[in-house]
Amino acid sequence: NSKVIQTPRYLVKGQGQKAKMRCIPEKGHPVVFWYQQNKNNEFKFLINFQNQEVLQQIDMTEKRFSAECPSNSPCSLEIQSSEAGDSALYLCASSKDRNQDTQYFGPGTRLLVL
Amino acid sequence: GDQVEQSPSALSLHEGTGSALRCNFTTTMRAVQWFRKNSRGSLINLFYLASGTKENGRLKSAFDSKERYSTLHIRDAQLEDSGTYFCAAADTNAYKVIFGKGTHLHVLP
């Protein structure tokens, strides 16, 4: 029931390499969220945007991750220098309103850092 | 501690029976969302509630912000209901949602 598109579905990188993943939110959804889900099924919020503006981000995201949602282009999340601990499923979600609406999730990008 | 405590972590039901999943919150949340993770690993939206109850087929959910909990009731469980269910609560003061750790449901024939 979600039309959020995430690419690639799988990503394999060596430690120290950059890892970049993309998300196309549902049409008409200006708010985009990124989450990291680890092997224990635990979700960690990373960052969210409304249009091109960052609303919130956690410390980890500020230091090693960069994210953007340019107009008329897919949103992206990039890890500047991948670490083994970054191996996880990265989920993108979008919603119509940052306060009041359902979040719709994409299928995720599964990152493996060797 | 965790802001969202989901229970049980695992549940086995026989077909045709029912049960309830629960999420307790340590702070006031403004909304809750329930998901099921399908066989492909995608999160399927089940419910979004800012208050009260909603029902859809064999599923019913309730959210009480003041009492800081939400429930998901499953009745007449079917084999295809098996999977992992997550609640996710929206913090009053933030734009993000906080997930529970999931309930792995196994429906037995």
Side-chain angles (χ1 to χ4, degrees), chain A residues 1 9 33 35 37 40-43 45 48 55-56 58 89 91 98-107, chain B residues 30-31 33 35 37 40-46 48 50 84 86 90 93-97 99-102:
Chain A
N1 60 1
R9 292 297 305 275
F33 302 77
Y35 296 89
Q37 186 185 19
N40 296 320
N41 266 343
E42 294 165 336
F43 289 80
F45 166 81
N48 58 357
L55 295 175
Q56 284 185 307
I58 63 171
L89 181 68
L91 290 162
R98 64 187 185 185
N99 286 326
Q100 299 294 335
D101 209 359
T102 304
Q103 292 187 26
Y104 293 87
F105 281 78
Chain B
R30 57 180 170 76
Q33 202 165 339
F35 301 90
K37 201 170 192 181
R40 293 185 183 179
S42 295
L43 288 173
I44 306 299
N45 289 305
L46 298 176
Y48 174 90
T84 304
F86 292 93
N93 298 315
Y95 308 127
K96 62 184 180 183
V97 295
F99 281 77
K101 293 185 177 177

Side-chain angles (χ1 to χ4, degrees), chain B residues 44-109:
Chain B
I44 306 299
N45 289 305
L46 298 176
F47 294 103
Y48 174 90
L49 297 100
S51 65
T53 62
K54 284 188 180 178
E55 192 165 355
N56 183 6
R58 296 177 291 101
L59 298 177
K60 182 177 179 179
S61 183
F63 172 52
D64 191 326
S65 176
K66 185 178 176 184
E67 298 299 323
R68 300 182 181 177
Y69 76 90
S70 178
T71 55
L72 177 69
H73 291 259
I74 302 172
R75 62 176 175 83
D76 187 23
Q78 304 296 306
L79 294 175
E80 59 265 27
D81 295 332
S82 294
T84 304
Y85 291 75
F86 292 93
C87 69
D91 191 304
T92 302
N93 298 315
Y95 308 127
K96 62 184 180 183
V97 295
I98 306 158
F99 281 77
K101 293 185 177 177
T103 296
H104 184 70
L105 173 64
H106 187 198
V107 180
L108 305 165

Side-chain angles (χ1 to χ4, degrees), chain A residues 10-29:
Chain A
Y10 299 93
L11 191 56
V12 181
K13 294 291 178 181
Q15 293 195 51
Q17 289 187 316
K18 284 188 182 180
K20 188 169 186 175
M21 54 205 87
R22 292 175 177 82
C23 171
I24 300 175
E26 285 210 20
K27 192 175 179 181
H29 286 192

Side-chain angles (χ1 to χ4, degrees), chain A residues 1-7 21-34 49-52 68-76 91-97 102-107:
Chain A
N1 60 1
S2 168
K3 298 180 180 64
V4 175
I5 298 171
Q6 286 189 251
T7 57
M21 54 205 87
R22 292 175 177 82
C23 171
I24 300 175
E26 285 210 20
K27 192 175 179 181
H29 286 192
V31 186
V32 173
F33 302 77
W34 285 99
F49 291 85
Q50 177 155 345
N51 298 314
Q52 293 81 55
E68 60 177 1
C69 271
S71 62
N72 301 317
S73 292
C75 296
S76 64
L91 290 162
C92 174
S94 72
S95 71
K96 289 182 191 173
D97 183 295
T102 304
Q103 292 187 26
Y104 293 87
F105 281 78

